[in-house]
Amino acid sequence: MLPSRVTIVEVGPRDGLQNEAQPIPTGDKLAFIERLADAGLRFIEATSFVSPKRIPQLADAAEVAAKLPSRAGVTYSALVPNAKGLERAIEAKIPRIAVFTAASETFTQKNIGMSIEQSLDGFREVVAAARARGMTARGYVSTCFVCPYEGEVAPDRVRDVAASLLALGVDEVSLGDTIGAAAPRDVERVIERVAASVPREKIALHFHDTYGTALANVHAGLQLGIGTFDSSAGGLGGCPYAPGASGNLATEDLVYFLDRMGIWCGVDLRQIASASVAIEKVLGRSLPSKQLQRIKSTRA
Ligand code: COA
Ligand code: ZN
């Protein structure tokens, strides 16, 4: 039994653009986000209020947030690592924050310079303060399957971190395959374990397609009752602190798959592809999405 509808969380403007080597003009980011919203995406992660020294690509977060196209039913979110990030998010009137940690100590240390425990302690106050202002919060757990530094990650670790995030007030935990190494068997193992502590409707899955297994993993997630998936237009992405990680699962490829499986997601494939074509022009390179390349070749 597969769900009849799925929610897509578009992370291209953040998880995707944070990884581009060249600076992207703020206006181009905003035009990209506008096209994504017009394609029917209802949850868009627009930027990050992290240290601009660590992620210079998103140093224009305040400007992006201030000019986000206002669309009924669209919720924009931004990454927030600490109290300073929350302060910036509040000032920018972002309604939803995303806090982030990992299931591997080494990755957490490299990514945010603290232990998992320290990160959770910090997020407790950040999420409480956000919710007190009427904001909502999602939590990311990176390296839920394989860590680029430590190798295999124990599903019990993922469960513990996911449950801790939920306990401190996030309404959804996104389980990330940061380096894109998982296969369906791994997804089953991790979801079965996490679902013992976290209701399935609060679990999202975040796949990267490094090894070409992302859609197979989505299928496994659907069969396990998961109804929310993160993806990025064109398959933009990677992680600056995860060597070897390639792009996210492409939104186009996910939308095609869901459409063909008869699962509603409310997103228009061709409009996403148009957003990707425009950002390809800015980047000066082709993006990896199979559907994007197919649509471009039929247009040409
Ligand atoms: N926004 C802007 N500036 C920030 C900030 C934030 N959220 N948090 C810290 N800073 C600034 C501090 O003001 C300080 O600036 P200064 O050197 O001019 O005084 C500097 O960054 C160092 O602050 P510190 O508290 O010592 O933080 P840190 O250097 O240990 O960095 C994080 C901690 C979490 C802020 C940083 O590691 C980070 O932003 N990581 C994000 C990584 C990321 O986004 N990865 C990809 C997503 S998975
Ligand atoms: Zn990611």
Side-chain angles (χ1 to χ4, degrees):
M1 271 291 282
L2 300 180
S4 59
R5 53 190 296 156
V6 147
T7 300
I8 298 180
V9 178
E10 169 65 42
V11 297
R14 194 279 302 172
D15 208 6
L17 298 185
Q18 76 181 8
N19 205 46
E20 292 300 324
Q22 80 210 72
I24 298 155
T26 306
D28 291 323
K29 292 179 181 174
L30 286 162
F32 180 46
I33 292 169
E34 182 161 29
R35 287 190 178 94
L36 295 172
D38 289 341
L41 288 157
R42 289 297 166 260
F43 292 91
I44 301 177
E45 198 159 271
T47 189
S48 269
F49 293 102
V50 297
S51 161
K53 278 181 209 144
R54 297 295 296 271
I55 309 283
Q57 295 88 337
L58 303 182
D60 61 355
E63 204 184 334
V64 168
K67 294 183 182 157
L68 285 170
S70 154
R71 292 284 185 284
V74 176
T75 301
Y76 296 108
S77 62
L79 229 54
V80 162
N82 53 18
K84 170 136 193 195
L86 178 63
E87 210 177 283
R88 294 172 62 208
I90 291 169
E91 199 155 317
K93 298 194 167 60
I94 282 283
R96 182 164 175 78
I97 63 166
V99 296
F100 57 108
T101 185
S104 134
E105 283 295 348
T106 313
F107 184 83
T108 311
Q109 199 58 246
K110 300 232 185 220
N111 194 32
I112 50 179
M114 47 185 118
S115 68
I116 297 170
E117 199 58 43
Q118 287 170 325
S119 72
L120 293 169
D121 284 344
F123 295 152
R124 201 159 287 122
E125 279 174 39
V126 167
V127 170
R131 291 182 59 189
R133 292 180 160 265
M135 300 157 87
T136 60
R138 121 185 277 232
Y140 281 104
V141 187
S142 292
T143 61
C144 290
F145 303 92
V146 182
C147 167
Y149 308 104
E150 293 181 14
E152 297 296 324
V153 172
D156 281 349
R157 288 299 287 154
V158 182
R159 180 203 54 202
D160 292 348
V161 176
S164 300
L165 282 169
L166 203 70
L168 63 79
V170 305
D171 55 40
E172 175 175 84
V173 282
S174 174
L175 307 181
D177 181 16
T178 310
I179 62 166
R185 192 177 64 143
D186 305 303
V187 177
E188 283 161 24
R189 210 165 23 209
V190 168
I191 297 294
E192 296 293 3
R193 200 69 60 89
V194 174
S197 305
V198 177
R200 287 178 203 237
E201 62 273 15
K202 293 186 189 286
I203 300 174
L205 287 169
H206 178 112
F207 294 118
H208 285 246
D209 205 25
T210 318
Y211 294 83
T213 52
L215 272 182
N217 292 338
V218 167
H219 192 215
L222 290 167
Q223 287 173 317
L224 292 157
I226 304 303
T228 303
F229 296 89
D230 300 355
S231 64
S232 85
L236 279 166
C239 172
Y241 296 100
S246 78
N248 292 83
L249 166 62
T251 306
E252 291 92 328
D253 299 353
L254 176 59
V255 169
Y256 175 80
F257 178 80
L258 294 171
D259 285 351
R260 187 79 195 161
M261 295 289 282
I263 299 171
W264 185 89
C265 67
V267 178
D268 186 88
L269 173 56
R270 288 189 167 266
Q271 281 180 272
I272 296 288
S274 299
S276 296
V277 167
I279 204 75
E280 277 185 330
K281 288 196 181 113
V282 177
L283 299 172
R285 67 180 173 90
S286 291
L287 292 172
S289 162
K290 287 215 162 32
Q291 288 302 320
L292 171 63
Q293 297 311 327
R294 179 189 63 80
I295 290 168
K296 276 164 55 187
S297 71
T298 57
R299 274 181 195 164

